[in-house]
Amino acid sequence: GHRADSPVLLPWSCRVSCAAELLLLGCGRERVGAMATPRIKGLLILDSNDGSRVHAKYFAKELRDAQVQLAFERNLFTKTRGQSARSDAEIVMLENTVCVFRSGIDVTFYVVGALEENELVLVSVLDAMYEALNGILRSHLEKRTLLDNLDLVLLTADELVDGGLILESDPMAIANRVLMKGATGPEVPMNELTISQAWQSAREQLAKSFRN
């Protein structure tokens, strides 16, 4: 597809074809064979005002060093600062990667992939992360709420990508698993859970994982 240094707006219609593509790519890892498996280099949430890190998870070997990560985040923030991407994703090229991003209230969500990665796959992962957290946190996609509910952010990232491989791209499925994992008693639909209940569910799940 067309790539340029300046942000490129992806129309909503692109996501329909992306869903079909992901279905083919994710139909079963045992059947991937010669097909290229989409891989994610990193998931990031940065403060839209100063570029400070709210959350970051890297999967690429070249981005595992802490100083390299911070330098990458500074450059990414500089390149995307001031770009409004509230309703649709935008794309930038940076340091041999392609990055797609969307804006929250005072934070920006990023998905980082290799230069040869399909941008539509990256946008699907970005939308899944954005919409899942938007549902879980009742549209409060702001820094303070994300930090106060960091357990939920971590679980959402874990449900979305594992070791760079995409696990799920349906935001409702991700949100429901995040909120129901570790919950005691009958399962409660996502739209009936309060943020405090969701947070408690996430804490129980994290505690269980550490015990195991």
Side-chain angles (χ1 to χ4, degrees), residues 13-89:
S13 59
C14 288
R15 302 178 195 179
V16 177
S17 60
C18 182
E21 181 174 354
L22 275 179
L23 180 62
L24 290 173
L25 290 171
C27 61
R29 288 174 191 162
E30 71 280 4
R31 297 177 57 191
V32 169
M35 290 193 302
T37 304
R39 296 191 70 91
I40 304 302
K41 286 180 173 286
L43 304 173
L44 303 141
I45 306 175
L46 303 181
D47 186 304
S48 298
N49 297 311
D50 61 15
S52 60
R53 178 189 293 184
V54 177
H55 171 67
K57 189 167 187 178
Y58 291 94
F59 308 100
K61 291 181 180 179
E62 66 271 22
L63 291 171
R64 288 181 181 172
D65 180 79
Q67 294 303 316
V68 172
Q69 291 176 6
L70 291 176
F72 180 83
E73 290 165 20
R74 284 195 299 268
N75 293 337
L76 183 59
F77 171 71
T78 299
K79 193 154 191 175
T80 59
R81 187 176 187 178
Q83 297 291 335
S84 177
R86 184 64 63 86
S87 58
D88 289 293

Side-chain angles (χ1 to χ4, degrees), residues 48-135:
S48 298
N49 297 311
D50 61 15
S52 60
R53 178 189 293 184
V54 177
H55 171 67
K57 189 167 187 178
Y58 291 94
F59 308 100
K61 291 181 180 179
E62 66 271 22
L63 291 171
R64 288 181 181 172
D65 180 79
Q67 294 303 316
V68 172
Q69 291 176 6
L70 291 176
F72 180 83
E73 290 165 20
R74 284 195 299 268
N75 293 337
L76 183 59
F77 171 71
T78 299
K79 193 154 191 175
T80 59
R81 187 176 187 178
Q83 297 291 335
S84 177
R86 184 64 63 86
S87 58
D88 289 293
E90 293 191 10
I91 301 174
V92 295
M93 313 293 291
L94 179 68
E95 299 175 11
N96 295 317
T97 68
V98 56
C99 308
V100 296
F101 64 97
R102 285 183 67 179
S103 304
I105 296 174
D106 58 359
V107 294
T108 304
F109 297 78
Y110 300 88
V111 173
V112 182
L115 280 177
E116 64 272 15
E117 193 56 81
N118 189 320
E119 297 98 332
L120 296 180
V121 173
L122 299 179
V123 170
S124 180
V125 174
L126 174 67
D127 285 346
M129 175 171 64
Y130 186 99
E131 299 298 344
L133 286 171
N134 192 54

Side-chain angles (χ1 to χ4, degrees), residues 183-195:
T184 57
E187 290 189 345
V188 181
M190 184 188 72
N191 58 6
E192 295 180 14
L193 282 173
T194 65
I195 289 180

